[in-house]
Amino acid sequence: MQEALRLARQAEVAGEVPVGAVVVKDGVIIGRGFNQPISAHDPTAHAEIMAMREAAHALKNYRLTDAVLYVTLEPCSMCAGAMVHARIKRLVFGAPDPRAGAAGSVFNLLQAPALNHRVAITTGVLIEPCAELLKRFFAERR
């Protein structure tokens, strides 16, 4: 999660919402990402998507079976859906997202019984620094 926080700070420097993510398999980081939708002109360029893209390229496989995704903010429905399709084993996130969180805050897409894969969820890891980074970012914008 420390690497995800470092990436979130990189997003902040770039003027993006400070969210960072890493994908880990067998104890090794195989994908890194931070929010880039503004600079990339891409609405799908969320930290989780960028990290999963890099991980999939590293493995030469779109299935990220047995991988763990660490992210500083609870994923949205787009990112949660991508995790299900990629067969991510576990999600670990820092701060909850009470407005758009799809891992339990608004709804839980990652463990929906109607879907063909479920992702285990661990919440609140390094919640204070993850939440503080976001609070500070949005306070400065207001």
Side-chain angles (χ1 to χ4, degrees):
M1 188 62 88
Q2 290 292 346
E3 179 64 6
L5 271 166
R6 187 190 70 74
L7 291 162
R9 290 184 196 101
Q10 192 173 338
E12 182 179 32
V13 168
E16 303 276 0
V17 175
V19 178
V22 296
V23 176
V24 175
K25 184 168 175 142
D26 300 326
V28 177
I29 295 175
I30 58 170
R32 290 175 171 83
F34 60 88
N35 270 5
Q36 302 176 54
I38 297 166
S39 58
H41 311 291
D42 179 355
T44 69
H46 288 195
E48 302 94 321
I49 300 292
M50 304 307 286
M52 285 188 287
R53 284 178 183 161
E54 189 172 285
H57 285 288
L59 295 178
K60 297 185 181 353
N61 191 340
Y62 73 103
R63 297 279 195 227
L64 302 175
T65 309
D66 295 325
V68 179
L69 192 146
Y70 294 82
V71 64
T72 56
L73 178 65
E74 180 180 1
C76 69
S77 58
M78 173 184 68
C79 294
M83 285 180 226
V84 170
H85 286 289
R87 307 298 194 269
I88 292 287
K89 181 179 182 177
R90 173 178 293 281
L91 163 70
V92 178
F93 71 86
D97 185 347
R99 293 185 183 173
S105 289
V106 177
F107 43 80
N108 189 344
L109 192 63
L110 294 172
Q111 296 176 335
L115 298 178
N116 62 342
H117 177 75
R118 284 160 208 63
V119 177
I121 302 169
T122 302
T123 66
V125 175
L126 296 180
I127 188 172
E128 292 85 10
C130 291
E132 186 55 39
L133 186 60
L134 289 157
K135 286 178 191 172
R136 187 181 71 241
F137 176 83
F138 287 112
E140 290 172 3
R141 297 285 184 274
R142 291 184 187 122

